[in-house]
Amino acid sequence: MAVDYLSAINKQGSGLNITQIVDSLVQAETAPQSSRIQENIDRKNAAISGYALVAAELGKMKDYAVSAQGSSAYQITSDNAAIGVKVIDQSLAGAFSGSVSVSSLAKSQTIEFTGFSSKTVAINKGTINIDFGSWSGNTFTDNSAKATQSVVVSESNNTLSGLAASLSAISGVNATVTDKGNGTFSLIINSDTGVKNALRLRVTDDASDTGLAAAFDTSSNNSSKQVVAATDATINLNGVQVTRDTNTVTDLIDGYEFKLNSTTTSAASIIASTDSNSAFNKAKEFVDIFNSVNSTIDELTNKGLNGGTKGALSRDSVVTGIKRQLRSLVTTALPGFEDNPRYISELGIKTERDGSLSLAEADFQKAFAREPLLFDVMVNSLARSSNPSVEVTSPSTVLSPKGGVYNFVENSTDGNGATLGGTSLVGNSTDSGMRQYAAVSGDTSGLRLTSVGSAQTATIYYGQSFLSKLTDYIKEVTSSVGILATSATKAGTSISEYAEDQSDLNEKIAKMTERYMSQFSAMESAVTGFKKTGEFLTGFIDSLNPKD
């Protein structure tokens, strides 16, 4: 109880506890508003704590996703570095064990025309017909599967470098002008790898400017111009000898790519298998982590119905939206692994009525045995090409391509003019003739491609895994500018505003107290005056009465 010093000093006043009365009046008028302000502050503080807890839980899920990416259900071993093996089509790849040796590598034919004074030296005019086939000494056999191509040398391209550019525009031909370092330059022409892809140049001179045939015709003198002969790769698989016109072999065993790096002196032992138990444990780990996060968010957003405990974020649309999006991601289609989209539910992962996930081992093992690819749909983003001469990767840790199936079209062999999904690529050509491309915009941004040989076309498959999509979403909402951080900042701003409201209310309380105290002090003065007047009148009346 407040001490009323005014009443204690003034014994002739009303005798009321004025301070207590004033405090009660002020509290009655301001307490509801003060209580509402404090409730708002407490609610926002709870929301900030809730946002931090949600971010921490999502962080656990992201840590799992990052650690799981790269896990493989395939185990491939090769005891010889001369032969590299990898899975390129999980829908076809199965377990196998094989003995593989390589007695020769596939090579391109290399033809060299020497003795030119510069890259831009003028050459004679005419027409060069390029035939594809195989050479045996100076005897040529046409490859009926490849039509003859031709280059017309005219005023527009009658220089050594101009001829090289015109030849390189032909599919299956790559030409460069090289400085020999001895004061001369050479025109070097390469074919695609494979014995049947060698080149024969048949030249017809322009009647008004002869000399082109003498310089570049190889019809009868191939051996004098040929530096390297075109050859096939020769492979022995489990005792069966086969040949291929490339060192990147994708049709030896379904679903696998064999990269022939060099010839072997002894057979390589290659074993490929799948580990369904490790794959199940990894998938079950995700289900457990998801359910833990889902349970925490459910508690925070519980509306307190039917006697339940109301959560700190029961009315928060931000966290409710995150919960809804996480559940949506679980059922989202994942395009780009094949022609049709895939789903992680195909692994046996089920969504229960309460939003939690379940996974029965028997269901998983059955699905995995049928399609090991489904594990990669969940865990690993995959990029592959329908054309072995075109390789695709997604090395960027910043750019994340959108899953899908895209057409790659290469219009030339100079590293320019290629498109992916209709979007132009940034490219260049290396000294070895390999073209390198990067997608820097659009849905394919982040993909890198390489191509060799003639101008290529390919169907590019890029499947973004479920865990990759999940990681991208969690990074988005938990970043320093994400929705959780901005919501916490807004809540902090609201707390500051409520604190200002409380400060304003405190000033109001002080003024009200001062006003009431002034009013009651005036009343006390009046009561004191009345008492003194009464005492005077009483004394005066008493003085009029006769004394005994």
Side-chain angles (χ1 to χ4, degrees), residues 92-172:
L92 298 175
F96 80 89
S97 175
S99 175
V100 183
S101 60
V102 179
S103 56
S104 66
L105 293 176
K107 296 179 182 179
S108 302
Q109 181 194 30
T110 301
I111 308 169
E112 182 181 14
F113 300 93
T114 63
F116 296 93
S117 60
S118 73
K119 286 186 176 183
T120 57
V121 64
I123 60 176
N124 301 107
K125 300 171 187 174
T127 300
I128 302 177
N129 292 305
I130 299 96
D131 302 316
F132 300 89
S134 58
W135 285 99
S136 176
N138 286 321
T139 302
F140 185 79
T141 302
D142 282 304
N143 180 353
S144 60
K146 302 182 76 171
T148 297
Q149 303 293 315
S150 62
V151 169
V152 176
V153 181
S154 62
E155 292 288 348
S156 63
N157 63 344
N158 65 329
T159 63
L160 196 61
S161 58
L163 175 59
S166 296
L167 289 170
S168 292
I170 296 174
S171 178

Side-chain angles (χ1 to χ4, degrees), residues 14 23 53 94 109-110 122 145 208 226 316 321 328 333 540:
S14 64
D23 288 344
L53 180 57
Q109 181 194 30
T110 301
S208 63
Q226 179 175 276
D316 189 270
S328 175
F540 177 71

Side-chain angles (χ1 to χ4, degrees), residues 273-441:
S273 61
T274 56
D275 186 349
S276 61
N277 291 327
S278 295
F280 170 75
N281 291 334
K282 188 63 67 175
K284 185 64 167 60
E285 187 179 355
F286 163 73
V287 169
D288 293 341
I289 291 175
F290 181 93
N291 287 340
S292 174
V293 174
N294 185 65
S295 177
T296 298
I297 295 179
D298 277 346
E299 290 179 10
L300 289 170
T301 57
N302 194 319
K303 297 187 182 302
L305 302 177
N306 302 320
T309 302
K310 192 173 184 179
L313 300 173
S314 60
R315 295 184 294 174
D316 189 270
S317 61
V318 170
V319 175
T320 300
I322 291 173
K323 177 172 68 174
R324 185 166 52 248
Q325 182 61 23
L326 287 175
R327 293 177 179 177
S328 175
L329 282 171
V330 172
T331 59
T332 296
L334 299 165
F337 289 94
E338 294 177 328
D339 290 326
N340 297 318
R342 307 308 299 261
Y343 301 82
I344 66 168
S345 60
E346 295 179 78
L347 272 173
I349 296 174
K350 299 177 181 178
T351 302
E352 304 298 337
R353 293 183 63 182
D354 63 355
S356 65
L357 301 181
S358 64
L359 176 62
E361 184 170 4
D363 292 340
F364 179 92
Q365 295 287 3
K366 183 178 180 181
F368 183 84
R370 184 177 65 251
E371 288 187 276
L373 166 70
L374 292 173
F375 180 72
D376 292 288
V377 170
M378 177 180 175
V379 176
N380 295 313
S381 297
L382 298 177
R384 64 184 178 91
S385 167
S386 64
N387 183 343
S389 295
V390 179
E391 294 187 359
V392 57
T393 59
S394 177
S396 176
T397 58
V398 178
L399 301 175
S400 183
K402 183 178 179 180
V405 181
Y406 306 97
N407 289 325
F408 170 74
V409 178
E410 195 175 28
N411 297 315
S412 66
T413 57
D414 59 0
N416 296 306
T419 61
L420 182 62
T423 301
S424 295
L425 301 174
V426 175
N428 63 71
S429 179
T430 66
D431 291 340
S432 64
M434 175 184 288
R435 284 88 66 191
Q436 301 173 323
Y437 300 100
V440 296
S441 63

Side-chain angles (χ1 to χ4, degrees), residues 76 84-89 255-259 391-392:
I76 304 173
V85 185
K86 68 178 182 179
V87 175
I88 57 171
D89 191 339
Y256 291 90
E257 176 188 280
F258 288 75
K259 186 74 176 231
E391 294 187 359
V392 57

